[in-house]
Amino acid sequence: QVLLQESGPGLVKPSETLSLTCTVSGGSLNTYYWSWIRQVPGKGLEWIGFIYYIGNTNYNPSLKSRVTISMDKSRNQFSLNLYSVTDADTAVYYCARHRVGVWATWGQGTRVIVSS
Amino acid sequence: DIAMTQTPLSLPVTLGQPASISCKSDQSLVHRDGNIYLSWLHQRPGQPPRLLIYKVSNRLSGVPDRFSGSGAGTDFTLRISRVEAEDVGIYYCMQATQFPVTFGGGTTVDIK
């Protein structure tokens, strides 16, 4: 059974970079798409972007100028960098594994607060 | 971006009774490959979303058969044939036909 676990700082200062890692256990990064999604407290879900196992990326246009998703197959991890954060980036961040149209595996989520 | 609209916002239900949630998209969700990438997710408080239904009507393995999905084009429905206590939470529809992936605003199901 594949498990995903997000990790990273729970507090980030405004204008700095939010960096999160998703560690995959019970499987490898070969095949599948690997996404980041966030949920602002009390609100809905927003897809941030994905990286495909061969390295292609696709980002939400609303965040594209501030996002980079990368992967490290040797560590079985993929990462999110969100630059120049504001308090609007305060959210629970989830990583997920999916194939076309089937978003079956999600991490537990990690809460990130943007505050000075 | 494709906008997804769910109704109702809140759905109080009686245990053992059926429940139904609607999801409408502002564009057709038929992908050029002929598939409709419309999914339903369930989220309990403090938990990540969990996939219930994918491609309109396919139940993920392990999802109880009281959950069913239907629809076509721009109109979709999630039905619970007999609500159980564990079904409370927020239900989201989600489209992955066109990027960016977008989600409905959610429907909160609770017990009357």
Side-chain angles (χ1 to χ4, degrees):
Chain A
Q1 180 189 1
V2 172
L3 296 176
L4 308 182
Q5 181 65 60
E6 305 87 351
S7 60
L11 181 64
V12 182
K13 290 183 167 55
S15 81
E16 295 191 345
T17 297
L18 182 162
S19 296
L20 298 175
T21 296
C22 182
T23 301
V24 179
S25 57
S28 77
L29 289 180
N30 288 320
T31 69
Y32 291 100
Y33 295 82
W34 305 89
S35 270
W36 287 96
I37 304 99
R38 70 182 184 179
Q39 186 169 35
V40 174
K43 298 199 174 176
L45 296 155
E46 180 180 31
W47 173 74
I48 298 170
F50 74 66
I51 186 165
Y52 193 35
Y53 75 101
I54 55 174
N56 304 30
T57 55
N58 190 328
Y59 302 131
N60 192 322
S62 67
L63 295 167
K64 187 174 183 177
S65 63
R66 298 194 293 129
V67 170
T68 301
I69 296 175
S70 58
M71 66 170 40
D72 184 339
K73 290 185 179 179
S74 67
R75 297 188 175 204
N76 243 24
Q77 295 175 332
F78 66 105
S79 299
L80 168 70
N81 281 327
L82 181 64
Y83 308 102
S84 304
V85 298
T86 71
D87 56 2
D89 296 310
T90 292
V92 176
Y93 287 76
Y94 297 101
C95 57
R97 183 187 83 162
H98 54 99
R99 48 187 173 93
V100 177
V102 188
W103 292 60
T105 308
W106 294 61
Q108 286 298 305
T110 188
R111 185 174 306 273
V112 178
I113 296 172
V114 177
S115 174
S116 55
Chain B
D1 300 6
I2 295 179
M4 307 293 289
T5 303
Q6 285 181 237
T7 54
L9 195 63
S10 176
L11 183 58
V13 296
T14 301
L15 289 174
Q17 293 300 302
S20 178
I21 300 170
S22 170
C23 175
K24 296 183 191 296
S25 58
D26 68 350
Q27 300 176 39
S28 171
L29 295 187
V30 179
H31 191 272
R32 59 180 178 271
D33 66 7
N35 289 303
I36 298 176
Y37 295 111
L38 185 282
S39 300
W40 290 96
L41 308 169
H42 175 217
Q43 186 176 33
R44 298 188 179 102
Q47 294 292 314
R50 169 193 167 215
L51 179 66
L52 298 175
I53 303 281
Y54 63 94
K55 289 198 284 186
V56 180
S57 59
N58 295 272
R59 261 191 316 276
L60 193 68
S61 176
V63 173
D65 62 6
R66 65 179 181 275
F67 291 94
S68 64
S70 63
T74 61
D75 289 353
F76 304 92
T77 302
L78 175 71
R79 290 185 175 87
I80 310 173
S81 59
R82 295 172 306 280
V83 172
E84 298 192 4
E86 66 183 17
D87 299 337
V88 300
I90 305 175
Y91 290 81
Y92 296 96
C93 60
M94 164 193 169
Q95 70 80 24
T97 290
Q98 179 186 113
F99 284 96
V101 169
T102 50
F103 298 84
T107 295
T108 300
V109 171
D110 60 8
I111 305 301
K112 283 183 184 175

